[in-house]
Amino acid sequence: MADIIDLDQFKTKKCLCQVAKMKGIEYEIYLTVVKYVDKHTENLLPEYAFKTTDSDLYKIFNGNRELFLKSYYDLLRYWDIPLIDAENPANMEFERFPKIGDLCAFIDRKVQTDKYTC
């Protein structure tokens, strides 16, 4: 059986790898988090609101746990991180990941540098 390819994710990975190559994996992790947060929060924040590692995810998602989970699962797929039941943040999303930096740190811990290939 053939694998299904998510062309949007493939294109995103290729583009972000090129941008982040010189700055390292931490930068690519940050870029992917911001990309997938933006994807699911269109029009919730003013255009001038910049996202940093200290940005409050509850405010960004306007408390919408469903939108957060869409971003979270997209990030798990992007980084090929298997979801372990104990790590599922259901109903504790914003307590488990209060800031963008917390989500970045989680992904950083899960990604093995020897597995990382651009």
Side-chain angles (χ1 to χ4, degrees):
M1 188 183 300
D3 289 337
I4 297 174
I5 298 172
D6 182 343
L7 292 177
D8 181 54
Q9 189 177 65
F10 180 78
K11 187 172 93 175
T12 297
K13 190 164 200 132
K14 183 177 179 181
C15 177
L16 291 177
C17 278
Q18 290 173 346
V19 170
K21 195 169 220 158
M22 299 302 280
K23 295 187 179 187
I25 191 168
E26 292 84 7
Y27 188 64
E28 184 181 355
I29 290 169
Y30 168 75
L31 290 177
T32 58
V33 169
V34 170
K35 190 255 190 269
Y36 286 109
V37 165
D38 281 347
K39 178 180 177 182
H40 297 290
T41 59
E42 290 179 28
N43 303 322
L44 292 181
L45 284 179
E47 199 172 295
Y48 58 83
F50 294 104
K51 293 174 187 75
T52 67
T53 54
D54 201 36
S55 296
D56 187 317
L57 286 171
Y58 183 85
K59 288 181 184 175
I60 291 171
F61 285 98
N62 200 22
N64 189 324
R65 295 176 188 278
E66 187 177 314
L67 289 178
F68 172 84
L69 287 174
K70 286 180 181 182
S71 295
Y72 180 73
Y73 294 133
D74 277 351
L75 286 163
L76 293 180
R77 271 193 306 280
Y78 179 96
W79 288 104
D80 197 26
I81 298 171
L83 180 64
I84 299 169
D85 286 342
E87 295 171 342
N88 190 349
N91 297 321
M92 296 292 290
E93 295 87 358
F94 302 117
E95 294 78 13
R96 180 115 190 269
F97 303 109
K99 308 279 183 195
I100 283 183
D102 298 313
L103 190 51
C104 291
F106 168 77
I107 293 168
D108 192 31
R109 282 192 306 274
K110 292 296 185 177
V111 174
Q112 303 292 324
T113 53
D114 60 344
K115 182 174 127 178
Y116 175 73
T117 54
C118 266

